[in-house]
Amino acid sequence: MARYTGAVCRLCRREGQKLFLKGDRCYTDKCAIDRRAFAPGQHGNARNKKMSEYGMQLREKQKARRYYGVLESQFRKYFEMASQRKGVTGENLLSILETRLDNVVYRLGFAMSRAEARQLVRHGHFTVNGKKVDIPSYLVKPGETIALKGKTLDKIKASLEANGSRKAPKWLEFDANNLSANVAAMPAREDIDMPIEEHLIVELYSK
């Protein structure tokens, strides 16, 4: 399957803000944004760069894609799903992205980054309603239960300890004793703390 294999810190610098793609490194002074707060490339540090309307829309779409680690074809598919649902298309899009299994694993604190969560899911460490699911793009639904399968890995223990102060979102009911969570509802816009202006993405795809 196609995937981005380049330096992920370049993606943060390109978007001009932390996308938290490298887990705990993003919280240290080694973070690329803290050290070089300008876009990569020969002209990345140029000043007075004025961005067009299309450029702002494109950057917002790219930022959302990179936050959740999805390809362009996947992202467009999610947008089409969102446009067919009732409600605000942009909010529907973010809600769909939030319900990806790899994102849920990350939100619950089992992993330090979505990339790490994606790897854990692929290796079959989680179940949905008691059945092993190794597809990171699986979309969870209200009423389903996500649980850790088998022995708790040292990596997961370390992540849970490091993320102890980070609470699971309201739409996920986390059971710390059994290391499981129930999907209480679909995430609402106020439950998603991403600095994304989703209306710009809708405008881009509506052209």
Side-chain angles (χ1 to χ4, degrees):
M1 184 183 74
R3 62 189 178 94
Y4 178 77
T5 58
V8 294
C9 288
R10 288 176 63 89
L11 302 182
C12 295
R13 290 176 58 207
R14 183 64 188 86
E15 303 308 330
Q17 63 186 78
K18 293 187 180 186
L19 303 180
F20 299 97
L21 303 178
K22 297 204 75 170
D24 53 354
R25 182 187 176 95
C26 300
Y27 298 94
T28 69
D29 55 5
K30 293 182 180 180
C31 176
I33 285 291
D34 294 334
R35 297 170 67 185
R36 291 179 290 177
F38 51 87
Q42 182 179 359
H43 304 291
N45 203 18
R47 298 181 179 180
N48 300 323
K49 292 174 65 177
K50 187 176 180 180
M51 191 175 293
S52 66
E53 181 182 5
Y54 172 77
M56 290 189 291
Q57 295 166 351
L58 179 62
R59 291 268 55 86
E60 208 64 25
K61 186 262 292 184
Q62 294 292 72
K63 181 168 65 175
R65 274 188 51 226
R66 289 163 175 170
Y67 259 128
Y68 291 98
V70 299
L71 299 174
E72 177 62 38
S73 57
Q74 290 176 304
F75 197 84
R76 181 172 283 277
K77 175 185 174 183
Y78 292 143
F79 179 81
E80 291 172 356
M81 290 172 58
S83 63
Q84 293 170 6
R85 293 185 179 183
K86 293 182 179 179
V88 182
T89 300
E91 295 181 4
N92 290 342
L93 174 62
L94 294 184
S95 180
I96 291 170
L97 290 166
E98 277 290 302
T99 57
R100 282 175 54 100
L101 183 56
D102 55 358
N103 180 72
V104 171
V105 168
Y106 168 73
R107 288 292 195 186
L108 293 173
F110 289 114
M112 294 299 294
S113 67
R114 288 179 178 82
E116 187 177 289
R118 196 151 42 246
Q119 184 182 51
L120 291 173
V121 172
R122 283 203 187 103
H123 290 178
H125 292 296
F126 293 91
T127 63
V128 177
N129 287 347
K131 296 182 180 179
K132 185 180 78 171
V133 177
D134 57 6
I135 303 172
S137 61
Y138 176 87
L139 300 179
V140 301
K141 296 177 284 296
E144 292 186 327
T145 300
I146 298 92
L148 184 64
K149 178 178 178 290
K151 184 180 179 182
T152 306
L153 301 177
D154 291 340
K155 180 188 293 187
I156 294 177
K157 288 181 180 178
S159 295
L160 287 170
E161 291 175 3
N163 296 324
S165 60
R166 188 177 75 195
K167 294 183 179 179
K170 291 188 299 183
W171 59 282
L172 293 172
E173 298 174 345
F174 183 48
D175 183 348
N177 294 324
N178 296 315
L179 295 182
S180 64
N182 180 61
V183 183
M186 289 293 288
R189 183 62 182 95
E190 56 267 24
D191 299 325
I192 305 171
D193 56 359
M194 298 294 196
I196 296 174
E197 298 183 55
E198 60 273 13
H199 68 277
L200 294 177
I201 302 173
V202 176
E203 291 170 6
L204 176 67
Y205 280 126
S206 300
K207 290 183 180 294

